[in-house]
Amino acid sequence: MKTNPSKKFPTVPVVTVVAILLVISATLAMFFSNVDVNRVFQLSNFSAQGVVTFDGVAAADDGGRGYLVDVKNASAANYIGKMRVQVQYAGMGVGLIRVRVVEEWSTGVNNGVRQVMPYAIKMPYQIGANNANLYPATGTSGNARKWFDNRENDYRFYYATPVNCTSSSPVSLDLITGFDTSSIDLGAIADGTQLHIRVEADIVQVNRYPQYWGMTSLPWSSADSRTQQDIAA
């Protein structure tokens, strides 16, 4: 007489493992179905640079110290009133732009050491005609196609909106368009004093600024990283 082999049912540990795997699979499926992959893994070739000119003539870096600027002689080729700064930007995707502008005052070299002066002057750069491209200090909230002056905190200007670029060529943004010489006492600056200015442009993918810039929030009021402007338009 043939006997049918008895059917063995999965033991409790096996059933438990299968149940756990099913729960994990369902959870992962739900997770990946709701992730905006384009936002997380957006590829780009961002580039940004500050371009400094004096009356339209490209400026040359003075031995790695920045751009040598004359603050007194209005006829000098590198007179500060002739200095202009643009930011050239290119890249795929959405980014945030900021520009570091720092000044070094010195009185030349003594025994091989450059004598740096402790001038604490907030330089009155003109950001557009009559500062039309400057984010207002009061009365404005949210993103704007203007430069936010955050120099008191980190020596930087921030373009107060995320940007993209549909052009295949770099796009230029005007930053410094002039200088208000009436706002500082140039006579108090000793003869022979040298001024060097460094300009460093920086761009980062919009959702990566906390990691790369070390900021928990953008500096202008009610900043919104979800909206963007096409600066090529």
Side-chain angles (χ1 to χ4, degrees):
M1 178 182 294
K2 292 184 180 181
T3 58
N4 292 326
S6 60
K7 295 182 180 180
K8 294 183 179 181
F9 292 95
T11 60
V12 172
V14 174
V15 172
T16 303
V17 170
V18 171
I20 292 173
L21 290 175
L22 288 174
V23 171
I24 292 175
S25 299
T27 303
L28 290 176
M30 182 181 297
F31 173 75
F32 284 114
S33 65
N34 287 286
V35 169
D36 183 349
V37 177
N38 289 329
R39 184 172 178 83
V40 177
F41 298 103
Q42 190 174 62
L43 300 177
S44 66
N45 57 344
F46 288 141
S47 66
Q49 63 173 336
V51 178
V52 179
T53 58
F54 291 92
D55 263 357
V57 179
D61 187 278
D62 185 20
R65 294 175 57 187
Y67 303 99
L68 179 62
V69 178
D70 193 311
V71 294
K72 289 194 171 186
N73 183 7
S75 62
N78 62 335
Y79 178 58
I80 195 166
K82 301 175 182 178
M83 188 181 79
R84 303 291 184 266
V85 176
Q86 288 186 322
V87 178
Q88 287 188 348
Y89 159 75
M92 300 171 59
V94 184
L96 289 163
I97 299 173
R98 66 180 183 178
V99 183
R100 182 171 178 258
V101 181
V102 292
E103 301 86 21
E104 178 194 82
W105 301 85
S106 64
T107 56
V109 178
N110 184 15
N111 294 326
V113 178
R114 188 167 69 254
Q115 306 298 305
V116 178
M117 304 297 293
Y119 281 102
I121 300 174
K122 184 176 181 180
M123 301 293 278
Y125 299 119
Q126 291 291 297
I127 313 301
N130 298 316
N131 282 329
N133 295 336
L134 182 65
Y135 195 97
T138 59
T140 298
S141 180
N143 296 352
R145 298 179 68 145
K146 296 180 182 295
W147 291 98
F148 181 82
D149 187 353
N150 202 49
R151 285 179 294 166
E152 291 184 358
N153 297 306
D154 61 7
Y155 304 104
R156 290 179 170 91
F157 291 94
Y158 289 75
Y159 198 63
T161 187
V163 298
N164 63 7
C165 181
T166 57
S167 171
S168 58
S169 302
V171 175
S172 295
L173 292 170
D174 289 330
L175 176 55
I176 296 173
T177 60
F179 189 83
D180 184 7
T181 56
S182 66
S183 296
I184 61 175
D185 184 6
L186 297 177
I189 300 174
D191 291 339
T193 299
Q194 290 186 338
L195 169 63
H196 286 82
I197 297 177
R198 293 193 64 87
V199 178
E200 301 169 352
D202 182 20
I203 185 167
V204 67
Q205 187 172 320
V206 67
N207 58 326
R208 303 299 297 279
Y209 76 86
Q211 293 89 346
Y212 285 94
W213 289 354
M215 310 173 73
T216 56
S217 61
L218 295 168
W220 63 93
S221 176
S222 300
D224 186 356
S225 63
R226 298 168 299 178
T227 62
Q228 58 185 274
Q229 296 281 349
D230 180 4
I231 59 175

